[in-house]
Amino acid sequence: MVCPGLHRAVPAMLTIPLYWALMSVAAVRAVTQLMRPKRRHYWELTAHGFVLDPDTTL
């Protein structure tokens, strides 16, 4: 017995291992930043919106 909506969920199911791998990389990166005293309070910023002057940094 196969549910009719199951076939629509297969692509999402196939991406779950990739999601787990990316989450593991993020967790390892976060732990290493916490363990390093210089990077403990570092906040990685992302530039959002339009940047008028590409030479300006955050």
Side-chain angles (χ1 to χ4, degrees):
M1 276 210 239
V2 176
C3 298
L6 182 64
H7 295 291
R8 288 184 11 205
V10 170
M13 289 181 211
L14 293 176
T15 60
I16 289 174
L18 176 64
Y19 176 76
W20 287 343
L22 291 175
M23 289 298 288
S24 298
V25 168
V28 168
R29 188 171 178 182
V31 168
T32 56
Q33 284 185 0
L34 281 174
M35 300 305 283
R36 293 173 60 195
K38 287 185 178 181
R39 306 280 288 184
R40 189 167 292 156
H41 300 288
Y42 179 72
W43 188 277
E44 294 180 357
L45 299 176
T46 304
H48 294 279
F50 295 107
V51 177
L52 298 177
D53 185 12
D55 293 330
T56 58
T57 59
L58 294 176

